Amino acid sequence: MTQTMSALPFHVFPPTRVSQSGAGSQSSISTASAASFDTTRRSTARKEGNFVFKHGQRHHSYDNEKAPYPLCYDRPIIEMESLQNKFIQTLKDSVSFINFEEDCKPQRALDLGCGLGTWVIDAAKEWRNCEFVGFDLVNVQIPLSVLEPSVRKRIEWRHGNFLTTKLPFEDDEFDHVHVSMIAKGVPENKWGYLFEEVNRVLAPGGTCEVLEDDIVFPILPRWFTQALRPKPKTSSIHLPNGIRELASQGQQQKKEAPHDHALLESLYHSVFEHRFINTKPTAVLPSYFTTYFRQVTIGPVVHFPMPPLAPLQPLPPQIVTTYVLEPDTDTINPRQSTYYPTLVPRPMSLSFSSTQSSHTSKTGANSIFSNRPRTASSATTAPDSPTSYVAPSGKYFRSLGNKKDSASPQAPPTPPSPASPSRMPKSRFMLDTSLSEKEIAALPRHLFPSEKLHQLSNRYLAMQLYLSCQCVLGSQEAMWEELKDRVRNRKHELSPYGWDDDDELEELQSRTKFEKLIERFKTDMHLRISLWYSLTDLGWAFPEREPLTKAELIEEERIRANMLEARKQAKPEEFDIPSRSVRVLIGCKL
């Protein structure tokens, strides 16, 4: 039994029970106190019993048929709701797309699928005379005890599965129902039932607003990811006629996947397809919504393109070792110091035997390796040089270096300026191509604040890509289940992606390879999002990096040069690929 439990890929926390042993030694505890203690323990066990832990990620404990939501409940995932809410408030200066008059604001509102509960809390601060109920599958909401008394007294958290049971509310109970970001857990055949229940609990004249996004796997072009990979090692064979040939030339080349993360993309979409969840809810929701609500206003599908490429970070500082002859002695002692490299190109030596180079050698009175001061060239660095920056004026320049002793630390370099306009998306957003110009002009301004969308900064586009990336990472364990099913039953579907396993170590080997694929996707996406650049845009100090050795710095420069060279292959249309697509629907009950 012990071996069977240890082989399981996840751990279920069992309900906590009060031990009955030692009752005689605890006779001083009253029956009432023991009952109170037991009730508290059972309450904690119920809360823990809502979750199972799969390879360190927290998931709900419901069966997939009853609750097909595949994402985990780790902190980065449940906090996506907060980013979404702040984005809407930036566009609308309100928590809602509906422009309520002061005397017509809701008196009682329901947030269906409330998650962390941030929309409820923000709405309670804006609508001061309204009571709120946040309803969700599991208990992950912000504790009411940390809120202001005037806010928490008007908020209630309720839990249940709205896919299998009726909503636990009376008919005509709410004036407003808010639905956002639940499409990843609702099968397509459940939308009709769900909207019917929303219509039932909504009072006549009440309003319902729905904000949903499509299930998008963000794709990075191969030119971007290949620059980050080490060069593949090629082997050669000697033919009988003495001709030396690369081994790969004599073999039939396998069909290359469209991009480096194609297998993860296939698994990600399979997760939702096998749960009967439509990956484009923005296309199917209008037909269901208009069946149960009247005076419906349907916004266009708004596509957010990939963010512009952020400048590369400056090179990190280097650990420099100098050997100093102590005064009045024959002792030579090594001293390490941190040197912030200037932007003068350095020799790309392949020898790691010395920590000194023309770039790191400095003149010092006590240095045993004294060199004459070097003067940097005043020639202008080319824009695509791996050691160039963009000055605030828009001109490229080189730092002339610091002629002080290497033991004196230099100030970290200033962050680069914005990316070149040629590496920018054509627009901050794109509309559904099915709309004509006349239809776009007739769009309601309260659903489509075009002037504010045009004013969005690059960090908002980076945020949209971040949200799509987190949805993929949050579905990691569901993707793993899909991969196991393919390895066991449909292995031929993996061959186009270059997947090959040892049958004797199949599952263990598959898990290791899968985690490497996830880690590579995460690293590539973080580099593409470039959170550090968004923070500097907000006024944060440029993040300092850990010092590197000479060998590490040479490898950093190699990758940096490859990335700059790869960016020349970028095509303008690649920046118009949507990283996220959203739609708003508003209706009322007559």
Side-chain angles (χ1 to χ4, degrees):
M1 180 64 181
T2 304
Q3 294 179 351
T4 303
M5 290 297 293
S6 62
L8 292 176
F10 58 86
H11 304 283
V12 181
F13 282 80
T16 307
R17 294 182 175 86
V18 179
S19 174
Q20 300 299 322
S21 62
S25 61
Q26 299 179 5
S27 57
S28 59
I29 302 179
S30 65
T31 304
S33 299
S36 175
F37 176 75
D38 186 55
T39 302
T40 303
R41 294 290 294 272
R42 286 200 302 269
S43 176
T44 304
R46 284 198 299 271
K47 182 178 179 180
E48 292 180 349
N50 287 335
F51 301 101
V52 293
F53 289 81
K54 304 178 182 180
H55 294 97
Q57 288 190 337
R58 185 172 64 161
H59 290 258
H60 67 72
S61 59
Y62 291 85
D63 183 81
N64 286 340
E65 294 184 359
K66 296 181 179 179
Y69 182 71
L71 275 67
C72 68
Y73 287 88
D74 291 350
R75 181 173 177 177
I77 306 303
I78 61 177
E79 286 183 346
M80 291 193 301
E81 171 202 349
S82 303
L83 295 176
Q84 170 89 321
N85 293 337
K86 293 303 179 184
F87 177 65
I88 299 305
Q89 292 178 40
T90 300
L91 292 178
K92 289 291 300 172
D93 297 323
S94 173
V95 295
S96 174
F97 278 90
I98 303 175
N99 297 326
F100 291 106
E101 298 293 338
E102 187 62 32
D103 56 346
C104 296
K105 290 184 178 180
Q107 300 297 309
R108 185 168 174 80
L110 169 67
D111 186 11
L112 194 60
C114 64
L116 199 60
T118 54
W119 183 88
V120 169
I121 296 172
D122 291 340
K125 295 177 180 178
E126 182 176 337
W127 303 339
R128 298 185 178 275
N129 296 321
C130 182
E131 296 179 349
F132 293 87
V133 176
F135 189 84
D136 201 87
L137 183 67
V138 292
N139 183 6
V140 293
Q141 291 73 47
I142 296 174
L144 296 179
S145 58
V146 304
L147 304 178
E148 302 173 3
S150 61
V151 174
R152 68 167 174 255
K153 69 180 182 180
R154 295 183 286 115
I155 295 177
E156 178 186 3
W157 304 132
R158 301 282 293 274
H159 304 100
N161 189 349
F162 53 69
L163 295 180
T164 58
T165 59
K166 297 179 63 175
L167 293 176
F169 307 112
E170 300 293 333
D171 295 355
D172 306 336
E173 183 173 340
F174 297 99
D175 304 314
H176 181 73
V177 177
H178 175 263
V179 181
S180 177
M181 298 179 69
I182 67 171
K184 295 178 180 64
V186 180
E188 185 172 350
N189 61 347
K190 290 290 186 178
W191 281 110
Y193 166 77
L194 181 60
F195 285 143
E196 182 180 6
E197 275 296 287
V198 171
N199 185 276
R200 179 183 66 82
V201 301
L202 195 62
T207 54
C208 175
E209 64 176 329
V210 177
L211 174 62
E212 287 297 344
D213 58 336
D214 286 341
I215 298 171
V216 176
F217 185 94
I219 296 176
L220 297 179
R222 192 174 292 278
W223 60 261
F224 181 88
T225 56
Q226 287 301 306
L228 310 176
R229 312 283 186 256
K231 292 183 178 180
K233 297 181 180 180
T234 57
S235 58
S236 61
I237 57 176
H238 293 273
L239 301 179
N241 57 4
I243 300 177
R244 187 169 177 267
E245 184 183 65
L246 293 179
S248 59
Q249 293 177 355
Q251 300 175 359
Q252 184 178 2
Q253 295 291 332
K254 293 184 179 180
K255 185 178 180 181
E256 194 175 40
H259 57 89
D260 278 6
H261 308 298
L263 176 57
L264 294 182
E265 180 188 17
S266 175
L267 296 174
Y268 184 61
H269 287 298
S270 294
V271 166
F272 298 98
E273 291 171 0
H274 291 165
R275 287 167 166 79
F276 303 102
I277 297 174
N278 197 306
T279 57
K280 293 188 178 297
T282 59
V284 300
L285 283 184
S287 60
Y288 291 103
F289 194 77
T290 53
T291 302
Y292 296 94
F293 300 97
R294 297 295 178 264
Q295 297 181 357
V296 173
T297 303
I298 301 176
V301 180
V302 181
H303 306 283
F304 294 99
M306 298 290 284
L309 291 171
L312 299 183
Q313 295 188 33
L315 292 173
Q318 179 183 353
I319 300 175
V320 179
T321 302
T322 57
Y323 295 88
V324 179
L325 179 64
E326 298 294 340
D328 303 326
T329 67
D330 294 332
T331 305
I332 299 178
N333 293 326
R335 291 183 180 178
Q336 285 191 345
S337 59
T338 301
Y339 171 74
Y340 290 92
T342 60
L343 304 182
V344 181
R346 53 175 291 172
M348 296 293 289
S349 172
L350 298 180
S351 173
F352 303 151
S353 59
S354 172
T355 58
Q356 289 226 331
S357 68
S358 61
H359 184 62
T360 58
S361 299
K362 297 293 177 180
T363 303
N366 297 329
S367 175
I368 193 172
F369 302 108
S370 60
N371 290 316
R372 296 180 60 185
R374 289 176 170 81
T375 303
S377 171
S378 59
T380 303
T381 307
D384 290 322
S385 169
T387 56
S388 65
Y389 290 115
V390 183
S393 62
K395 298 180 179 179
Y396 291 89
F397 72 99
R398 281 181 178 175
S399 171
L400 296 181
N402 193 332
K403 298 182 181 180
K404 296 181 181 180
D405 186 83
S406 61
S408 301
Q410 302 177 22
T414 56
S417 64
S420 169
S422 62
R423 298 293 184 264
M424 300 280 283
K426 296 178 181 178
S427 176
R428 290 293 188 268
F429 66 93
M430 299 171 290
L431 296 181
D432 190 353
T433 55
S434 63
L435 295 177
S436 64
E437 294 185 2
K438 184 177 180 180
E439 290 173 326
I440 294 176
L443 289 174
R445 297 180 63 86
H446 65 282
L447 282 187
F448 183 65
S450 58
E451 63 285 348
K452 288 194 175 182
L453 284 171
H454 281 295
Q455 296 171 3
L456 291 178
S457 65
N458 295 335
R459 65 176 178 269
Y460 286 103
L461 296 182
M463 186 196 75
Q464 306 299 334
L465 177 58
Y466 172 81
L467 292 176
S468 295
C469 172
Q470 287 300 321
C471 288
V472 176
L473 297 176
S475 305
Q476 173 179 334
E477 293 309 313
M479 294 162 63
W480 164 240
E481 295 298 326
E482 288 291 329
L483 178 60
K484 286 197 300 182
D485 179 65
R486 292 192 189 185
V487 169
R488 294 169 182 170
N489 306 315
R490 297 172 289 143
K491 207 165 187 176
H492 63 280
E493 296 182 8
L494 297 174
S495 57
Y497 306 103
W499 186 275
D500 189 18
D501 275 329
D502 185 345
D503 293 337
E504 295 182 1
L505 301 174
E506 193 169 87
E507 186 164 329
L508 178 62
Q509 186 186 57
S510 295
R511 181 68 197 188
T512 302
K513 291 174 62 176
F514 174 73
E515 290 180 351
K516 289 182 178 179
L517 290 178
I518 290 291
E519 187 61 31
R520 175 183 288 184
F521 172 81
K522 183 178 179 180
T523 302
D524 292 349
M525 279 296 168
H526 283 186
L527 184 60
R528 183 64 178 87
I529 295 168
S530 297
L531 179 61
W532 67 271
Y533 188 57
S534 296
L535 293 178
T536 57
D537 188 35
L538 291 170
W540 287 53
F542 184 76
E544 295 187 18
R545 301 178 61 187
E546 293 293 329
L548 303 180
T549 64
K550 179 181 178 181
E552 293 171 333
L553 191 60
I554 288 177
E555 177 64 13
E556 179 94 6
E557 289 177 335
R558 183 193 67 80
I559 296 177
R560 182 185 179 90
N562 289 346
M563 292 175 64
L564 286 170
E565 183 65 26
R567 291 187 178 197
K568 298 178 182 179
Q569 305 176 30
K571 300 177 181 178
E573 57 269 20
E574 291 176 333
F575 293 92
D576 293 331
I577 298 175
S579 65
R580 192 161 179 256
S581 302
V582 299
R583 190 170 213 167
V584 180
L585 302 94
I586 292 176
C588 68
K589 177 180 178 180
L590 297 180

